[in-house]
Amino acid sequence: FAVGVVEKNRIVTGQNVEPSDSVIGLASSGLHSNGYALVRRICFDREKLSLDQHFDQLGETLGQALLRPTRIYVKSIVNLLKKYKVKKVVKAMAHITGGGLVGNIPRVISDDLDVVLQAKKWPVPPIFDFLRERGPVEQNEMYRVFNMGIGYVLIVAPDFTRSIMAHLRKLGETPYFIGK
């Protein structure tokens, strides 16, 4: 296996994040690998659903929605970091894993800052509404457990938001400006 080494001055630490910085979210492919204990409780223990059931709300079978492979962002992020200065332009990054948006973003910024997300800025894949309604699960809990359609977050200098988003689109990503 290969081991990568990052020069110390290229490590994205989040220490330069400022209140005016932009938050860019990259679309997820669905649940990724998060929240399956809650999914199991809702879909199988409570609702007694089967993986081969088709749901119009999902536009596919439950199995297709739940077992969609996790998107991997590494190629796009490595390419992005070759083009833009770390710490000055790309200031922080978070892979949205267990703990959802609420638990992962605070890990990459200082304690004296907050991130304000605008949930209407990106489409939430149908699986999340399906789970919320059938749970029922409160909206705040959904954002604490799941990625809600955003699998990776970048915090960037505001003057570079548009160019970074354009570059990410060229790399095959679906970026959204989701907050500050």
Side-chain angles (χ1 to χ4, degrees):
F1 68 93
V3 176
V5 177
V6 177
E7 296 172 29
K8 191 172 183 175
N9 67 339
R10 302 264 317 144
I11 297 173
V12 180
T13 63
Q15 69 188 29
N16 295 335
V17 173
E18 298 175 275
S20 62
D21 289 337
S22 297
V23 181
I24 297 172
L26 301 183
S28 72
S29 55
L31 294 174
H32 286 185
S33 55
N34 310 115
Y36 277 92
L38 180 57
V39 169
R40 196 170 27 261
R41 199 164 49 245
I42 293 168
C43 293
F44 307 115
D45 298 345
R46 183 167 185 263
E47 295 285 308
K48 309 291 189 219
L49 304 175
S50 71
L51 291 174
D52 60 353
Q53 279 182 269
H54 185 277
F55 292 91
D56 290 340
Q57 180 182 3
L58 300 174
E60 60 190 347
T61 67
L62 182 60
Q64 290 169 315
L66 295 181
L67 301 175
R68 181 166 289 110
T70 299
R71 293 224 46 248
I72 305 298
Y73 303 95
V74 67
K75 287 181 184 176
S76 296
I77 298 303
V78 167
N79 188 303
L80 183 80
L81 295 178
K82 287 178 183 175
K83 181 173 175 145
Y84 294 94
K85 291 182 180 181
V86 297
K87 298 184 183 179
K88 291 186 180 190
V89 176
V90 178
K91 299 182 178 186
M93 302 181 294
H95 191 204
I96 308 305
T97 58
L101 290 162
V102 174
N104 286 281
I105 297 173
R107 294 180 194 166
V108 300
I109 61 174
S110 65
D111 291 339
D112 63 334
L113 292 175
D114 290 315
V115 168
V116 177
L117 300 181
Q118 299 169 348
K120 302 277 188 223
K121 293 285 192 173
W122 73 91
V124 175
I127 187 63
F128 297 109
D129 287 331
F130 180 88
L131 293 168
R132 182 183 49 75
E133 291 165 7
R134 287 186 178 259
V137 182
E138 289 189 25
Q139 194 72 352
N140 288 344
E141 181 70 357
M142 292 295 294
Y143 281 88
R144 193 190 67 73
V145 174
F146 299 112
N147 68 55
M148 299 303 287
I150 298 295
Y152 201 91
V153 167
L154 299 132
I155 300 177
V156 304
D159 292 344
F160 290 87
T161 304
R162 286 185 181 175
S163 67
I164 288 173
M165 289 178 66
H167 188 68
L168 288 164
R169 279 191 283 280
K170 286 180 188 173
L171 297 171
E173 297 296 339
T174 304
Y176 300 99
F177 171 77
I178 63 171
K180 289 191 167 277

